[in-house]
Amino acid sequence: MAVAAYATDLTDITTAETISGWSALGGGQSGLSDETDYFIQGSQCVSKTGFTATTKGQLFNAGTTTITAGDAVFIWVKQNNRNLMDTVALGGSQVCMGSGTGAFDRFYTDGNDSDGSALAGWRTYCVDPTDTPSATTGSPGAYTYFGNQWKIQGSGSLKGNPNGIDAIRHGREIQCTAGEAANYATFDGAAVYDSATTRAWGLITPASGSYQFHGAFVMGTSGTAVDFRDSDRVIVVLEDEFVPSGFNEFEIRNASSNVEWNNIQITALGATSPGILTLDVGTFTGVACFFTDLATTIFNSSSTVTGCTWNRCEAVTPDGADMSGSSILAPDVAANNSGLIWNVNTDPDGLLDGMEFSKTSGTAHHAIEFGLSIPTTSITLRDCNFGTDFSATEDGSTGDETFHFKDTTGTITLNLVSCTGNFGYRTDGVVVTVVADPVTTAVNVKNSAGSNISGARVLLRASDGTGPLPYQDSVTITQSAGTATVTHTAHGLVTGNYVVITGASPEEYNKQAQITVTGVDAYTYSVDSGLSSPATGTPVSTGAIISGTTNASGNITDSRTLASDQPVTGYARKSTTTPFYKSGRISGVVDNVNGVSFNIILIVDE
Amino acid sequence: MAIVATDWTITRATGIIDYTGNDHGGGSPSYATVIEFHRWVQDLADDPEFTGSTGDELDIIDNTPSDRSTDNIITLINGFTITPAAAEHLYDGSVISGDIGVDRIVYDGIVNFGNADVQIQIMQDGVVLVDDWWNFSGAGLNADPNAGISHRFMLKTHDFAGDGGDIDGRRLVGTTRTFGNTYAEFKINGTSNGNNVLALVDSNDLNNDTAEGTVATWTTIDNTTEGFVQLDVNNNGSDEDYYSEWNRDTYTINQFYERMKWLTRDGSTSTLYGLNGELFRGITHELDVDGGTGTWGTPEHEEITWGSGATAGTARLLAVDNKTGSSATKIWFQILTGVVPTDNATITGTTSTATADAELSGGALTERPISTPFVGASTGSALIGSYGLSLETADLSASDTVFDLTNTAVYPPNNVTFTVGGVVSGEDRVLVTNNAAGDIDFTQMALASLLNGATVTAVDVGLGNIPADTPSTGTIRIERDDGLYSRHPFSVYDSGNQTFTITSHDFSANNASAANDVFVSYIDKLAAATSESFTTVYNADRTLFVRVRDGGTAGDNEGIKTAETTGVLGTNGGSVTINRISDV
């Protein structure tokens, strides 16, 4: 790449380098001056003599001006008598846009009661011209006049020209592109570039060791990627009342862009457009960042966000990002919504490890929402702290359960490894099994050449009665409409577990079956309809740890909580399609603390 | 062809795998190789659950059902077994089930390389298996003509629970005995797991084209002697030993051959030597014995047994050289089951209770060749007989060959006949001698020593001087010192062709000195019929001088002129006819 470059999509309405085109509001045309004593952009601004107990200002006739939807008008304004302005609500400082000096809309942007009003200085007001103005003078048509007026209270100063307006522009973005070692794109680089006298875009402005920002901070463009790396910055997102909610944004563009933030702190000053983090393009790495009061955040699976904190922010959507060690604290989400939304077909195991979640007082929201696209069998969270403010109710409906499963059908097991806090959940229909601190039983199946075998069928069941799983427990079975109902005293199983039924007659009752628990002493599984009922013979049920086929990596695993070690036995078989293998016997003990891994080698049978 | 799963069932509770499709003669029976069978059960074994409608109660919850050693050796494990019906519908290898020494069953594969339409039978454990389901519609099951394979099937060779282990040491004898075709047999001296090869082929037997029903009526062909018999087939004055002497009655030697095939054909209900004809194979072993007891039966054939366990055997006794047990030195038998006797093994007749001890330290056990058919081969006009089998000597011709119990080829003599025809019984005196230039060969032989005793019976003409084609009995003429030639019947001459044994005669008054002439008078008698003849064993063409005289003193009392002629005694004999010219 090349050295970092910065640009903007702002278009000048005026740079106020001359009073030509300016008109006084409230009279006093003669009081307008080419002000060279103070300015922020170029070599002058347009000032107006002081006045008192009235409202006056100046407008620039820009002629026909087209402002792209979503953009806003940025106007530099300075009022040296800030303490004499009226309040914001009463129009202390008003951005004016209209079709003439007698027809304009007024947007109340500042006043003596606004934050930092005691401090004199230039301010950029950002106003979306499509927003609803605070007040209107006359009947303005299409905006051709742009300026500002102030409502000065009595006993105002009449000294000098305290009412200045500098560059007026429309647009939204500051764009960072390129970047290379020792000259990466940075917040500071962008701010310094922005605030140069020749530009003074007013998008990101250095301010006392931090940066004031509004607009869109774009990292990379569709045509040029960026290598953006910065650390230890504090950025405040300015509160502009007259912009839409999504106006302020930090956005990555270009799939080749690389953005690395280390200890970047971004705080929104207001709620109108608190700032969206759209970081789901290219590669983003965030370390120890701290976001306060921001809007939504979205990443992609290439993102790594470790040790970062979202405080009072809207929902975070990782989309597969690694957010290990991050925190979602007191999120600004509605009732029955969640601070973090996981909606990708990826087990969050290893991606959300060590996260901390806290609940916003007074709002019945969840910590994590699991969407429709998550894995269909089981997911795992490790070392997460959910606190005790979320509801611990399983299958609750108060909206403040820790987890919210959005799927409406099927079964899912949520394994919580070394997690703390309450583990309640709400489900929209999917049958959820929460297993706290499970151990993993892993079976890897290889051939003698060391290659993984995909599609090998594995069955691992209790081999004796010394473990927590049932072993050849006597049961009774009835059948109705293809559902076998098993009466199994204190079975200790959960929905989705497998059992092996043997000894029943007709033979069709005997199988390995995935069960649906209907009570502490009963569960059901599917059989052929029409079987004589009840089953005769001496039916017994044995719990199974694993039943299924290995994946492309030759693995099949199970996670569950075991009260004690579980002896198991079973088979790994692949003998339906070539290459055929001899049946492999599995035997061992699942340690209830450490789990177990079985490495099975199947011998070719052809 | 892959296995037809719907023809098979697996019962989980018992582990029994059964074939339930059509039987061999049904509409659409199905068959599978053992590897296809293995693949099928293994396919089921990795199913998540069995489908109830198929009857194949096998899936991942079940123990592993089978193990493959090779594509041709499959072992059913964990209690799985196949039914006999299932075994009949599997081929191309072995299927083993059960635990060794408990309930193990082994079915071994049989592959016959033969012509497509060969029909084969199996002898196992001393019997011919009754159900030959592997012969099907004039062909064989699971044939592979491109590979020259006519049959592929499995046979049970081990059944611990049923037979105590290997069935007769897993020995099998395959035969093909389709009447009208050539016969063959092939032994498997203990099957191995996998495929075991038979090589049984047959073809039209051009010397066996008589209708089976016709041959069935030739019941006068009889086994004159069943058992040890001594015959001088080659007419050399010494008997050879045989185990059988057949009488072919009026039937030709080839018809005899066909009858022997009929007796031992597939489906035979005849009995030979106490065995069903299908099972009879002939002598398989010759054994030296000693230390016998009791008396062997008449005829000898009976079941004999010896040993126990791994040394046990049974056989059909076919001959013993002496029925007095203590004198017997050899026995001959067809082994039926087990192994051959070891040294000193006591062999016991189950009927006679006679015994004999195998003598292998100073003697021998000799395996003898089996002929298929058991009678030997026919050229159409002659028999090349099998080991130890003979016909009555009169039923053999010089073109036949038999083999005695020493397995020596024995050739019957060429008994040729020279006939003098045209003679008148009771009138004509006929003399036939060796020809010497149109006259009697007086000097055919000469006395080696003086004959002057009163009761001379031995006439010595010198070693080897009696012509080889001299009839075994007949007359000679001896020149007496008085110049006359006296006529002397002889009953035999010695094997050195040196000395005739003549009817005792007094030479004391009229000696015959050494070097006096001696000649054979092949015919030297008054005609007793319209022709006279003599028979002898052909050796080489011989020209004979014939003289016939009728002095008119008998019969019509009319004399004739002396009739003299010569004739040749050739390979087919010879003859002359006298032209009697009246001398009245």
Side-chain angles (χ1 to χ4, degrees):
Chain A
M1 286 194 182
V3 297
Y6 306 95
T8 184
D9 69 348
L10 294 179
T11 300
D12 291 343
I13 295 175
T14 177
T15 56
E17 292 301 303
T18 175
I19 63 170
S20 176
W22 288 86
S23 300
L25 288 175
Q29 179 71 28
S30 60
L32 298 180
S33 299
D34 289 316
E35 181 63 65
T36 59
D37 289 341
Y38 64 94
F39 55 89
I40 192 165
Q41 185 274 333
S43 56
Q44 69 160 60
C45 68
V46 174
S47 65
K48 183 178 178 62
T49 55
F51 55 90
T52 184
T54 186
T55 300
K56 291 185 178 181
Q58 53 262 47
L59 285 176
F60 178 74
N61 181 4
T64 301
T65 302
T66 301
I67 300 174
T68 303
D71 286 351
V73 172
F74 289 78
I75 178 169
W76 279 109
V77 174
K78 183 176 184 182
Q79 175 51 257
N80 290 333
N81 295 325
R82 292 186 59 83
N83 57 316
L84 300 180
M85 290 192 299
D86 211 333
T87 62
V88 176
L90 295 177
S93 180
Q94 309 168 16
V95 171
C96 300
M97 293 183 282
S99 55
T101 55
F104 53 89
D105 290 321
R106 305 185 332 246
F107 301 87
Y108 296 177
T109 57
D110 204 352
N112 64 14
D113 57 345
S114 63
D115 290 341
S117 190
L119 302 174
W122 287 97
R123 299 193 178 195
T124 48
Y125 302 124
C126 182
V127 175
D128 182 339
T130 65
D131 210 333
T132 302
S134 307
T136 299
T137 297
S139 301
Y143 293 164
T144 54
Y145 283 79
F146 300 88
N148 197 82
Q149 65 180 4
W150 298 265
K151 182 181 180 183
I152 302 298
Q153 300 176 88
S155 61
S157 174
L158 300 177
K159 296 178 181 177
N161 290 49
N163 310 302
I165 301 175
D166 207 329
I168 305 174
R169 301 180 173 102
H170 63 87
R172 180 171 176 245
E173 299 177 357
I174 181 169
Q175 300 160 345
C176 312
T177 56
E180 61 185 8
N183 202 342
Y184 296 115
T186 63
F187 287 112
D188 186 64
V192 169
Y193 192 86
D194 176 325
S195 60
T197 305
T198 54
R199 303 180 193 91
W201 297 331
L203 294 165
I204 181 166
T205 306
S208 302
S210 64
Y211 305 90
Q212 297 178 345
F213 167 74
H214 52 177
F217 193 91
V218 177
M219 294 165 282
T221 63
S222 60
T224 306
V226 69
D227 193 344
F228 187 105
R229 306 187 190 191
D230 206 352
S231 60
D232 304 321
R233 304 299 182 188
V234 176
I235 300 163
V236 294
V237 179
L238 296 171
E239 167 65 351
D240 293 296
E241 186 178 351
F242 299 100
V243 293
S245 61
F247 183 77
N248 295 321
E249 183 177 22
F250 295 83
E251 179 185 6
I252 300 174
R253 294 178 186 166
N254 197 307
S256 297
S257 291
N258 177 63
V259 176
E260 299 178 14
W261 292 358
N262 189 328
N263 190 29
I264 301 299
Q265 299 182 38
I266 302 176
T267 301
L269 296 182
T272 303
S273 178
I276 299 171
L277 301 181
T278 307
L279 307 176
D280 59 346
V281 174
T283 302
F284 176 81
T285 303
V287 178
C289 295
F290 200 99
F291 308 115
T292 303
D293 294 326
L294 296 188
T296 58
T297 302
I298 183 170
F299 297 110
N300 64 13
S301 60
S302 297
S303 304
T304 302
V305 193
T306 53
C308 296
T309 300
W310 281 258
N311 184 35
R312 301 194 305 269
C313 296
E314 296 178 16
V316 178
T317 304
D319 265 1
D322 180 356
M323 295 188 63
S324 297
S326 294
S327 299
I328 308 293
L329 305 178
D332 181 19
V333 294
N336 202 31
N337 287 325
S338 302
L340 186 144
I341 299 171
W342 189 264
N343 192 28
V344 291
N345 188 18
T346 303
D347 188 345
D349 191 9
L351 300 177
L352 302 183
D353 291 1
M355 288 193 69
E356 182 173 1
F357 298 83
S358 69
K359 181 176 172 297
T360 301
S361 177
T363 303
H365 71 88
H366 312 287
I368 301 177
E369 173 186 302
F370 292 106
L372 302 178
S373 301
I374 65 171
T376 57
T377 54
S378 69
I379 52 179
T380 298
L381 297 174
R382 296 180 186 275
D383 303 314
C384 293
N385 179 17
F386 298 98
T388 57
D389 291 333
F390 292 107
S391 169
T393 302
E394 295 190 348
D395 199 13
S397 60
T398 54
D400 60 350
E401 297 80 10
T402 310
F403 310 107
H404 186 189
F405 289 86
K406 299 288 285 184
D407 207 348
T408 57
T409 60
T411 61
I412 186 76
T413 297
L414 172 61
N415 299 306
L416 299 174
V417 182
S418 300
C419 294
T420 57
N422 291 341
F423 304 143
Y425 66 86
R426 179 173 185 165
T427 175
D428 290 357
V430 62
V431 177
V432 178
T433 300
V434 177
V435 181
D437 285 329
V439 293
T440 298
T441 302
V443 176
N444 175 259
V445 183
K446 286 184 167 61
N447 61 24
S448 55
S451 300
N452 294 318
I453 299 175
S454 174
R457 182 163 299 283
V458 176
L459 174 65
L460 206 57
R461 57 182 167 185
S463 61
D464 61 34
T466 63
L469 287 182
Y471 176 72
Q472 297 187 355
D473 288 357
S474 293
V475 297
T476 60
I477 309 175
T478 59
Q479 182 275 140
S480 177
T483 297
T485 299
V486 182
T487 301
H488 185 166
T489 303
H491 54 72
L493 303 170
V494 298
T495 295
N497 281 174
Y498 283 86
V499 296
V500 176
I501 302 292
T502 57
S505 181
E507 190 64 43
E508 285 78 1
Y509 280 112
N510 299 321
K511 58 165 61 175
Q512 55 85 25
Q514 191 169 30
I515 62 169
T516 299
V517 172
T518 57
V520 294
D521 296 329
Y523 48 81
T524 63
Y525 66 95
S526 296
V527 294
D528 294 341
S529 59
L531 292 181
S532 60
S533 180
T536 58
T538 54
V540 295
S541 176
T542 297
I545 291 276
I546 287 177
S547 177
T549 56
T550 55
N551 61 18
S553 300
N555 296 324
I556 183 169
T557 61
D558 170 82
S559 292
R560 68 177 67 197
T561 302
L562 293 172
S564 61
D565 292 352
Q566 177 61 59
V568 292
T569 186
Y571 298 100
R573 292 172 176 163
K574 181 185 176 299
S575 48
T576 295
T577 57
T578 188
F580 302 110
Y581 294 94
K582 291 180 180 292
S583 179
R585 192 67 185 260
I586 308 171
S587 182
V589 176
V590 182
D591 186 290
N592 73 319
V593 175
N594 300 313
V596 68
S597 293
F598 294 105
N599 296 306
I600 307 302
I601 296 177
L602 296 185
I603 306 301
V604 172
D605 188 29
E606 56 184 289
Chain B
M1 185 177 77
I3 194 168
V4 179
T6 53
D7 284 351
W8 295 78
T9 62
I10 301 175
T11 303
R12 170 180 281 155
T14 61
I16 292 174
I17 304 172
D18 194 13
Y19 173 83
T20 57
N22 291 140
D23 200 359
H24 308 297
S28 56
S30 67
Y31 302 88
T33 64
V34 296
I35 186 62
E36 289 169 343
F37 171 72
H38 171 67
R39 295 285 180 237
W40 172 62
V41 295
Q42 289 290 315
D43 182 9
L44 296 175
D46 76 352
D47 285 349
E49 59 186 77
F50 81 88
T51 303
S53 59
T54 65
D56 303 326
E57 297 170 356
L58 183 65
D59 58 43
I60 188 67
I61 75 169
D62 295 293
N63 289 329
T64 302
S66 62
D67 182 65
R68 168 191 165 279
S69 299
T70 71
D71 282 356
N72 306 108
I73 302 175
I74 304 301
T75 302
L76 296 174
I77 56 179
N78 295 313
F80 286 90
T81 60
I82 56 173
T83 63
E88 289 187 13
H89 290 264
L90 296 174
Y91 66 97
D92 198 26
S94 291
V95 175
I96 304 163
S97 63
D99 294 329
I100 295 173
V102 179
D103 57 356
R104 170 141 295 195
I105 293 177
V106 177
Y107 291 92
D108 282 331
I110 306 297
V111 175
N112 185 61
F113 286 87
N115 46 299
D117 58 350
V118 68
Q119 301 288 283
I120 66 178
Q121 304 296 328
I122 301 294
M123 297 179 185
Q124 182 184 41
D125 201 21
V127 299
V128 177
L129 299 182
V130 175
D131 185 1
D132 61 339
W133 44 266
W134 51 84
N135 294 317
F136 188 70
S137 297
L141 278 184
N142 309 310
D144 183 0
N146 292 332
I149 293 172
S150 65
H151 294 72
R152 284 183 291 183
F153 55 97
M154 296 197 310
L155 285 178
K156 185 191 289 184
T157 59
H158 180 106
D159 183 352
F160 188 87
D163 292 272
D166 287 342
I167 299 174
D168 190 21
R170 302 168 77 157
R171 285 174 285 270
L172 300 173
V173 178
T175 67
T176 177
R177 295 184 179 182
T178 301
F179 190 74
N181 286 357
T182 56
Y183 288 7
E185 77 168 46
F186 199 97
K187 284 196 301 183
I188 298 174
N189 288 321
T191 59
S192 300
N193 291 146
N195 281 323
N196 296 270
V197 171
L198 295 174
L200 294 169
V201 298
D202 70 358
S203 61
N204 289 337
D205 185 348
L206 301 179
N207 297 315
N208 182 198
D209 57 359
T210 304
E212 186 174 337
T214 301
V215 179
T217 66
W218 297 345
T219 56
T220 55
I221 296 176
D222 181 41
N223 200 358
T224 307
T225 305
E226 291 184 2
F228 188 79
V229 61
Q230 293 182 304
L231 302 170
D232 184 13
V233 170
N234 59 4
N235 197 39
N236 66 354
S238 297
D239 290 339
E240 308 91 41
D241 298 337
Y242 302 91
Y243 79 93
S244 187
E245 180 187 20
W246 287 85
N247 171 20
R248 62 180 167 89
D249 194 38
T250 59
Y251 297 96
T252 67
I253 195 69
N254 191 68
Q255 288 172 324
F256 169 75
Y257 165 81
E258 290 188 281
R259 175 69 179 179
M260 295 301 102
K261 290 188 66 177
W262 184 86
L263 291 173
T264 55
R265 74 196 185 285
D266 286 349
S268 172
T269 58
S270 302
T271 299
L272 284 173
Y273 307 92
L275 295 177
N276 180 275
E278 276 191 311
L279 183 60
F280 184 70
R281 300 167 61 210
I283 290 172
T284 59
H285 294 83
E286 172 187 342
L287 175 65
D288 289 324
V289 297
D290 62 11
T293 64
T295 303
W296 297 99
T298 301
E300 295 101 292
H301 63 70
E302 64 175 311
E303 183 184 68
I304 54 175
T305 63
W306 60 85
S308 62
T311 64
T314 66
R316 174 61 48 166
L317 179 67
L318 296 179
V320 56
D321 65 349
N322 194 312
K323 291 181 181 177
T324 300
S326 58
S327 300
T329 63
K330 281 185 183 293
I331 63 172
W332 292 265
F333 57 83
Q334 173 187 326
I335 194 164
L336 295 174
T337 66
V339 296
V340 296
T342 56
D343 191 21
N344 294 321
T346 298
I347 297 154
T348 304
T350 56
T351 302
S352 69
T353 70
T355 66
D357 293 341
E359 175 50 52
L360 302 183
S361 57
L365 172 75
T366 305
E367 185 170 1
R368 290 303 187 184
I370 290 294
S371 296
T372 52
F374 84 99
V375 69
S378 173
T379 66
S381 59
L383 177 73
I384 311 300
S386 59
Y387 170 79
L389 182 141
S390 181
L391 287 79
E392 294 176 344
T393 56
D395 287 348
L396 295 168
S397 70
S399 54
D400 298 322
T401 303
V402 296
F403 292 82
D404 65 13
L405 288 174
T406 66
N407 204 27
T408 301
V410 179
Y411 304 102
N414 185 5
N415 293 312
V416 294
T417 299
F418 188 84
T419 303
V420 178
V423 298
V424 175
S425 176
E427 294 185 18
D428 294 348
R429 183 75 196 186
V430 181
L431 176 65
V432 177
T433 69
N434 192 46
N435 176 58
D439 199 351
I440 295 170
D441 181 10
F442 292 101
T443 61
Q444 185 180 21
M445 295 170 284
L447 285 173
S449 58
L450 170 67
L451 301 177
N452 59 0
T455 57
V456 172
T457 58
V459 178
D460 184 356
V461 295
L463 183 63
N465 289 332
I466 299 174
D469 58 355
T470 301
S472 57
T473 61
T475 56
I476 57 175
R477 296 274 183 158
I478 302 172
E479 181 187 12
R480 309 297 280 268
D481 287 348
D482 64 358
L484 297 178
Y485 288 82
S486 58
R487 176 180 178 274
H488 301 276
F490 65 89
S491 59
V492 68
Y493 53 88
D494 69 345
S495 58
N497 285 21
Q498 179 177 357
T499 303
F500 291 100
T501 299
I502 63 174
T503 303
S504 177
H505 188 77
D506 184 2
F507 282 82
S508 60
N510 186 8
N511 296 341
S513 299
N516 280 9
D517 295 339
V518 177
F519 64 87
V520 178
S521 53
Y522 297 98
I523 300 174
D524 191 356
K525 63 182 292 190
L526 177 66
T530 57
S531 67
E532 286 293 339
S533 64
F534 73 93
T535 298
T536 190
V537 176
Y538 174 81
N539 182 51
D541 284 0
R542 178 179 295 281
T543 302
L544 298 172
F545 172 77
V546 180
R547 173 180 286 162
V548 177
R549 285 178 176 156
D550 176 6
T553 59
D556 60 1
N557 293 321
E558 290 183 0
I560 62 170
K561 296 181 182 295
T562 297
E564 294 180 342
T565 185
T566 60
V568 176
L569 178 65
T571 55
N572 296 314
S575 65
V576 296
T577 300
I578 295 302
N579 183 17
R580 301 175 81 250
I581 301 172
S582 175
D583 193 30
V584 178

